[in-house]
Amino acid sequence: EAEVAQSPRYKITEKSQAVAFWCDPISGHATLYWYRQILGQGPELLVQFQDESVVDDSQLPKDRFSAERLKGVDSTLKIQPAELGDSAMYLCASSHPYRPRATGELFFGEGSRLTVL
Amino acid sequence: QQQVKQSPQSLIVQKGGISIINCAYENTAFDYFPWYQQFPGKGPALLIAIRPDVSEKKEGRFTISFNKSAKQFSLHIMDSQPGDSATYFCAAPGAQKLVFGQGTRLTINP
């Protein structure tokens, strides 16, 4: 069964350092999402891509976060510099375009857990 | 901007009992309203979803009840089992995205 791949699974870093997360969506899924999930809360959308274009990055803290999906396939989310409040699970999800509207379904990866010390 | 409120935050149910989780949304939407299930260390996975023009949908032991006029929907888990222990999230359609509730940690005691 196809899955969304994410790496690393766990990352511990000191504040002010740079961190990067990678996501490989399910093959053929044109839409890719990065969500942040703070412990005890629901996922919050950071950025949404349609192919290589950003559809929504309204909740992305652009002073320190950046995301790219250069060839419209895999994607990287970067944080520089990391702050204590960035400690969270970073989830990548993918879908066919408009599929969530028809089914409510996003396919999530297992996430990358970030701890900032 | 779509807003979603989920309750309760945590729930403990005896094995065989009925688990009920509630969700309220703010903005009318015409796309599917899903419930997601998340086990520790895993990403959320779709459990069941309902169209807003349907009042109830049942899949096995899981049922969504949808009240369009009240802008509320709920998840019912019948004959709850220890394997159902997980965190459950409701979600509502926003502008080209799903907006998730804060989650309910469900524990089924054997």
Side-chain angles (χ1 to χ4, degrees):
Chain A
E1 184 175 292
E3 294 181 344
V4 175
Q6 289 189 247
S7 66
R9 287 294 310 280
Y10 304 94
K11 179 71 178 178
I12 299 174
T13 190
E14 294 186 345
K15 66 177 184 178
S16 81
Q17 296 298 303
V19 294
F21 304 110
W22 176 80
C23 172
D24 190 13
I26 292 172
S27 178
H29 282 189
T31 310
L32 184 147
Y33 314 77
W34 282 102
Y35 279 86
R36 177 171 60 186
Q37 184 177 21
I38 295 170
L39 192 63
Q41 296 185 20
E44 175 195 22
L45 182 68
L46 291 175
V47 61
Q48 178 180 342
F49 289 93
Q50 181 66 36
D51 298 307
E52 65 274 8
S53 300
V54 173
V55 172
D56 184 347
D57 64 356
S58 57
Q59 300 303 309
L60 188 71
K62 298 181 188 64
D63 57 336
R64 297 186 301 105
F65 286 63
S66 64
E68 60 183 17
R69 193 184 183 197
L70 293 175
K71 296 182 179 179
V73 181
D74 58 341
S75 175
T76 302
L77 177 70
K78 296 179 181 176
I79 308 174
Q80 182 173 18
E83 295 182 354
L84 296 177
D86 296 332
S87 294
M89 176 79 86
Y90 290 84
L91 291 163
C92 179
S94 70
S95 72
H96 287 296
Y98 307 111
R99 183 81 175 158
R101 298 183 63 181
T103 65
E105 185 165 28
L106 303 180
F107 293 87
F108 283 90
E110 294 194 326
S112 295
R113 180 165 293 284
L114 173 65
T115 302
V116 182
L117 303 175
Chain B
Q1 175 102 347
Q2 184 65 276
Q3 303 262 1
V4 178
K5 291 185 179 178
Q6 185 175 340
S7 63
Q9 282 190 317
S10 63
L11 180 63
I12 300 174
V13 174
Q14 291 299 119
K15 179 183 174 183
I18 303 173
S19 304
I20 302 174
I21 305 171
N22 301 299
C23 196
Y25 62 97
E26 196 157 293
N27 299 337
T28 299
F30 304 99
D31 301 328
Y32 274 69
F33 287 73
W35 284 91
Y36 279 75
Q37 181 186 54
Q38 185 177 29
F39 293 105
K42 302 290 186 182
L46 178 68
L47 181 65
I48 185 172
I50 192 168
R51 286 167 33 189
D53 59 346
V54 173
S55 60
E56 185 175 283
K57 181 176 181 180
K58 184 176 180 180
E59 287 185 358
R61 296 184 294 108
F62 301 92
T63 300
I64 300 179
S65 297
F66 195 90
N67 186 332
K68 191 175 178 179
S69 61
K71 295 184 180 177
Q72 295 176 348
F73 59 114
S74 59
L75 174 69
H76 296 235
I77 306 175
M78 311 299 288
D79 187 25
S80 299
Q81 299 296 311
D84 297 330
S85 296
T87 300
Y88 293 81
F89 296 96
C90 62
Q96 298 191 66
K97 65 184 180 184
L98 284 175
V99 178
F100 286 84
Q102 294 216 319
T104 297
R105 176 173 283 187
L106 174 64
T107 302
I108 307 300
N109 284 336

